[in-house]
């Protein structure tokens, strides 16, 4: 006998929407997602009006009433107006303007699993690297950040080898030629999540050059997320490091 | 004090090349790689002459003499002539013609870590899925394969949810619209390694359409490897599942 | 004998232009189009000056004098200045700022034909979905809208299956990975008009990723219109549902 | 209360697979699809081995035993070896080599619904046009074909206006500049399904030029399927014409 | 004996630069160009500072002193600041803001050669069409303009056939699907210069779709200039019509 | 009063097709085209079966019976089998295998109009240049050919300046960097038709590099046809030179 | 014995970072680079905040204390705010606003090696050409600049041949068709570094057309840097001319 | 007074063609090129018929009669038939089948200038690397080759640092991610000529990924030639190393 889909059963019903979907206020919050996937949903702010984001933040506040350990909610790609709207509903939220990210409750859960290292090739890649690092932290991992270890000065990367080798998952953020993830992957046992950034000019084509470099990395152990997608990389790294021992 | 690069120290010297590099026969085998990264090197046959591949196989055989547990060597993208050349040196090698892969020694190591599930969207994606599955197996994981669960008949995917949810890492192989990884990632806690295939026609553009779809997957927890890169996906999945419990 | 082209005969002559073409004011209104095609022309405002749009609105008002049932005229892609110019000539026009659309007369005709369902994958796709829905309504169809049923939470789509199956034509609007139309088409008997949106970032390439996904949808019964072309999708859906029974 | 998904209930169980999925012989036939969508599944042969296609044909033959009106099965993109494999299991299947299509049972169902017109811009577009025409016929529509009415000699198109205006759905197949669908859509009330073909050279880019032209058609009422996808266009046209009167 | 290059001999020496090149003010004016090619140079303003453009205009004024018939100088792609700078030096220059063009002396030469017709597909293409028309006029041709004859209403094009057939050269300006030049070329004996415009959205890709359509036009007699290059098209048309009789 | 379309009136009726269209044998020959456009139709052989091409040649032979001056018919892109099929029906046809072109009657008409010069940048561009030269000759122009004058040795171009300056129309054929047309246009009064060829490798991208170079030529007086489209360039040049004096 | 890597030994230790890396202030200055490569590092300002750039300038000032001949530091792609931040720390720095470049100390070193010629095709390419020229000067070369020698007036290039032939390295900067480097390389013995610029419109595609032209230049002796990368070209030219005699 | 173009004077006249151009046999040999540029012309065989290549070889043999030191002629991209044709005329020519190159006279000139190092990232890049190495040798330089130093095992590159640092010019050949040139440039004082190869699969896009990586290399001192253009890279390196001391 084949296994049975339990997707419907897993989601607790809320309101008059389908199981696990709260349709109040015209916005669908996927509150069943934590149960289904083990990680909370993030609110992608770009393309939403500040008003919509504010209403979502209100729903989050409301849902947490009476809960002693509400799950973390992340707000990503938040501009200044989105930020204000979230803070109106969740005044004590954690904020990092440079990473355009907010998190609530403001303190990450006690870390479990293996170490996540987030490495940025250059100064201009730091905003995306921060988004990745915060995401992994708020999903429950210990995170170490390394900056400015681009391939043009390879001794800088080599100087970090011991740290890189102790990671359970590594996020490498790089624009321009995007060569760093392949270099790192050749030095370590952990899987590398590569994040191309739109940093560069001319034939960098807003991150396409870095994206292609990463997809063609000669060393195995590299997989790629969308350009500038620090959130996705941090999420993936947190998932990967979940079962690893604290120090590899 | 900063940590010290140990890259040079880790590699045992062989012959007159740099540490850990065997330059005999004009070919550089990276025999130190298992120590440095924890995974054996694979020989990518495409673009090498059968003669070159045969000489590499000979070096592998030679290096294993006296060893009771030689590490696995994979030969990927092996055409018919490459296959013959490998088998001449390693006659008992494992062969899967459809996956264009050979492995030696022919028996995978005793599996450790979590379960790897390899899912193929359609019949035409199976060769790439097989390459991924064999790679993960020979790198020491338990692997389950699932076929033909493309998004056009979503009930087929839903019928596999329990198996997918028990995986520590999932490889999803899909051509044409490449939509399956995003669907799967929305249903499971494990990270998904997405492999676009060059299956399709017209605006599939030899896998570009699937690649873009996967990079833009709405669900977090998806990272992408190169088009048709089953080996890379299987390697990455084996790395991810390494520390997971046998059944999540 | 072959059939004879009646294109010329169908168009009633107006003014001194060619048959059916009103060249007064230096603008050509295709007033014969309703007769020729059965649907009124829409005024695409982008690229026209507000003054030009205002003069067209004036011609529409003028042409309607003495008519008890003037055909609907749609003004699409109307910015704030275009809106003002139209309202100066047609003060009671229907306006939806978010959809950037105006319609006059402001009340849609009595609906005929089958049901058109307009589904949006995410919150950011709603403006385009609204343009499609209004267009279908003003061309004479009953329209139902569904929001936020993206593939990342497939249970949300499944919860709407009965509604989707009752449609005579379905418009599915999606950005990012653009996977929703293929999922929907696999569940329903009606044809699906897919609208890629420019929502997304990085490798979404302003809608190209979604466009390619939709063109490669594995399920038959999907056809695609231009990126962000809600008007075109709504028009096509209205044409498709024209002869269908009120409820399929 | 929201509507309930009936997707699971619709599919009758067969064998030990999920409901409606026959997993015998290692191939999943979606036999529940006719019930779910109203149209039979087509077997896309490209990328399948002749042996796989032959086994599918055998399953089709087997499933039809005892049925007086077995549903039509289409085999598309069938090369010479696929063709032999199908005919071995279904010797009386309908075959059109040029369209690379087989159908069984060999006689289309009695036509219902409105007229489908399939127009090809040039001689080289005829193979794709044939695939579209056969598909629509075997899905139960009356089909008329028109050839060689490209835009370079517009009088040829105009000479067909009466036929085009009587259609409930029109498939227009064109390579090179792909301008014909926009011209036709401006002349008729029916929706136009545009099929770009890979016919052309140089900057035709294997159908991309035609694809872009069609997506940018100025006349509303055009939607596009993948390059060379005659099957998809014929399927969509059959769906559109389903509820139309025999002659519009 | 082979023919001898006379390029050097043709250019009269001015100042201390190479023959025919005036290097005063740090700007090189190619005053020998009229003699060498038969047409005056145009000053492309985009990318030049208003100050540079003003100094060029001053040199033009200076060079004309004492000349009874100074050749025409065109200033193209002139923004508001460029316009002011030109008018400061050449106060009676001809100005068309919409076409972003100035000309001096302000009156075109007495027309010679055949008729140039400039046709625009839509209202949004008129600025580019005006640039083409003014260029041809100031290079000495009679010009007739036709607007709004896009392919979506083919009767509008057919109504202009007699005028189009009387032209010695036709410029056709079109954005979106760019199909008009191929339609026109199929109806007339004169060569058609096609100008794609960046008008459109989504898959129009800033004029690429129209450019490809025009390069793939099925009718011979179409050649293409750069996107939005009205000046180049008008120049080419003036060259083509140079030797033609006043009315073909 | 507006001018009247005479398109229908111009075409003499033949058989039972629309006016001017001979539908015998299932192939539409546009025999009215010479009258409508002033130039005969060419038969593009690629994508047609040899049998279809042979039947067209037969119709051409048949139509010429009794005519003392039958118009020229060109067969372009003719492979070996197409060539045999044409020669079976028109045994005395002119043949140039390298240009893949046939013409019948085999002698070009007495030349009229101005000189057409066809210049090829390199040896590998000669096949396309020949197609252009033959086309212009058979359409009634005097043609001179110049080879191997690429920009890498500019003295070779300068040595041909007098010839180039005597032309009424110049076709310049170039692959790789495609820079020659811009160089030539800067030296001559005649319009230049630029033909990119697919000659080159790597970043030549099958002619795209040359195409882009030509579209961006700095000198005005360059217009571009499709990659490798020698026929289109020769046709356009013949049209341009039609009214010019024998020697400019 | 193989040669030994001296990379680590070459770098003098500073602070507590790895050898040659100053990690004070959270910014890594690669002060060992001059010793390792022979050329100072440049500070790429784009993507850095003015504050970060200012702190780097401060570190440069600090490091120079007590040094009689501090090495040159270049600040490239400096906007107005970056400029102010640098000048606050290094008030006597050399500034060229148009080239967006600063240098300190403000006087270039005494020139050595061969002549570098920097040629710009058009007025709009001068900013990039200036960046190249300043870079080569501050890296110790004699530089001559040539402007406005685009291919459309080839006599302008020929008039500069003697200067071009005396160079040890030539930088050629060109937008639009990018044809100049190939022309120059055919005339001189020195290697040509080609810099495509984003100057142009339409099918210039922000420098892609020029980039492709340059990569496909028919003359050998051309190598290409990124679009608008004047710094890279000037650096490369300085390296090439390093060992050449003062006048070739 | 400006400098005078000596281009014409430099070329000695041969036969009845323009100065320095031998037009016998319908092929133009640029025999004046050695005098003009200092390097002999290479014969690019691809796209030429074996017969044409053979005739060129004959002209080379003929021109060398009576000369004691004939300049080297290279034949590049020579297939088997080209090779035979060259050897028929120049039986003692140097041949390297893998590099598809021939040279005559078969012995390179006595080396002068600095060292050229040619480094290949992987085994599959060796054919292109050989073409570069032979070209530099036959143009008069000492050449050292290094293989298999790809970025995935960075210790292999570091082991070669002393050799790389002794070069006057370095050619780095790499496919797939193309990251090696940027790594090398960060370690050495010499300029690096980067050659992308078409080695790789999927998103390597026949060398585009490597090309973009190289254009975006973070370290200055990298310039790029066309994909697979070993000849161009070797030529450029020979030019660069011309004036350098034997060992840097």
């Amino acid at each position: 006998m084949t296994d049975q889909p339990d997707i419907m059963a897993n989601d607790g019903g809320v309101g008059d929407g389908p199981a696990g979907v709260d349709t109040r206020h015209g916005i669908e919050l996927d509150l069943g997602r934590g149960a289904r996937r083990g990680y909370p949903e993030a609110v992608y702010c770009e393309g939403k009006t500040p008003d919509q984001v504010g209403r979502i933040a209100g729903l989050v506040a409301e849902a947490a009433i009476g809960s002693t350990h509400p799950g973390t909610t992340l707000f990503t790609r938040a501009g200044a107006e989105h930020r204000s709207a979230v803070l109106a509903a969740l005044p004590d939220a954690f904020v990092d303007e440079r990473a355009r990210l907010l998190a609530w409750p403001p303190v990450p859960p006690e870390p479990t699993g293996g170490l996540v290292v987030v490495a940025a090739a250059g100064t201009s890649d730091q905003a995306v690297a921060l988004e990745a690092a915060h995401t992994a932290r708020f999903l429950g991992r210990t995170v170490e950040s390394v900056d400015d270890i681009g391939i043009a000065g390879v001794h800088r990367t080599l100087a970090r080898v011991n740290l890189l080798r102790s990671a359970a998952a590594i996020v490498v953020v790089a624009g321009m030629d995007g060569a760093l993830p392949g270099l790192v992957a050749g030095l370590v046992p952990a899987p590398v999540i590569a994040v191309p950034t739109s940093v560069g000019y001319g034939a960098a084509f807003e991150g396409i050059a870095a994206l292609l470099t990463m997809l063609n990395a000669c060393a195995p152990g590299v997989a790629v997320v969308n350009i500038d997608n620090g959130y996705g990389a941090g999420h993936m790294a947190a998932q990967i490091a979940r079962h690893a021992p604290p120090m590899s």
Side-chain angles (χ1 to χ4, degrees), chain A:
Chain A
M1 214 205 93
T2 186
D3 53 5
Q4 291 302 312
D6 60 350
I7 175 173
M8 294 307 149
N10 265 12
D11 299 313
V14 176
D16 62 354
V21 176
D22 184 342
T23 56
R24 282 169 298 180
H25 300 240
I27 293 166
E28 299 218 359
L29 269 192
D30 188 0
L31 300 174
R33 183 166 163 192
R36 198 172 71 247
R37 296 205 47 195
Y39 301 96
E41 191 166 20
V43 180
Y44 181 79
C45 297
E46 226 165 67
K48 293 196 179 68
T49 63
D51 176 65
Q52 288 175 315
V53 171
R55 280 153 61 203
I56 293 172
L59 287 174
V60 167
E62 200 177 310
I65 293 172
S67 164
T68 48
H69 291 296
T72 301
T73 302
L74 294 172
F75 297 83
T76 63
R77 305 265 171 152
E81 290 183 81
H82 297 124
R83 201 159 56 231
S84 305
V86 172
L87 290 173
L90 302 163
D92 64 336
F94 167 85
V95 180
D96 185 327
E97 290 192 18
R98 200 159 157 220
R100 294 198 289 157
L101 175 142
L102 297 98
W104 190 88
V107 181
E110 193 62 29
T112 62
L115 173 69
V116 171
V117 171
V118 177
T123 312
S124 317
D125 302 313
Q126 287 174 2
V128 173
L130 278 171
E131 189 189 26
H134 289 313
T135 299
R137 273 200 314 130
F138 276 96
L139 265 59
R141 301 296 166 263
T142 304
V143 177
E144 292 277 344
S145 289
V146 185
D147 280 338
D148 243 338
I149 59 165
I151 186 177
V154 71
H155 57 291
R156 294 190 280 200
T157 310
L158 298 180
R160 306 298 193 218
V161 158
N162 281 355
L163 175 62
L164 292 166
R165 286 194 178 160
S166 66
I170 303 175
V171 173
V172 182
V173 184
M176 302 180 84
D177 65 7
L180 187 57
L183 178 68
V184 170
L187 297 168
V188 302
V192 171
I193 304 300
V195 192
T197 66
S198 51
V199 169
Y201 61 94
F205 297 135
E206 302 290 315
I208 297 179
L211 171 62
L212 294 184
T213 308
M214 293 167 177
L215 286 169
N216 287 285
C218 299
V222 179
V224 188
V225 296
N226 199 355
I227 297 165
D228 291 334
N229 188 5
Y231 164 70
H235 192 288
M236 188 91 182
Q239 289 173 285
I240 293 172
R242 184 189 190 185
H243 297 296
M247 270 295 163
S248 304

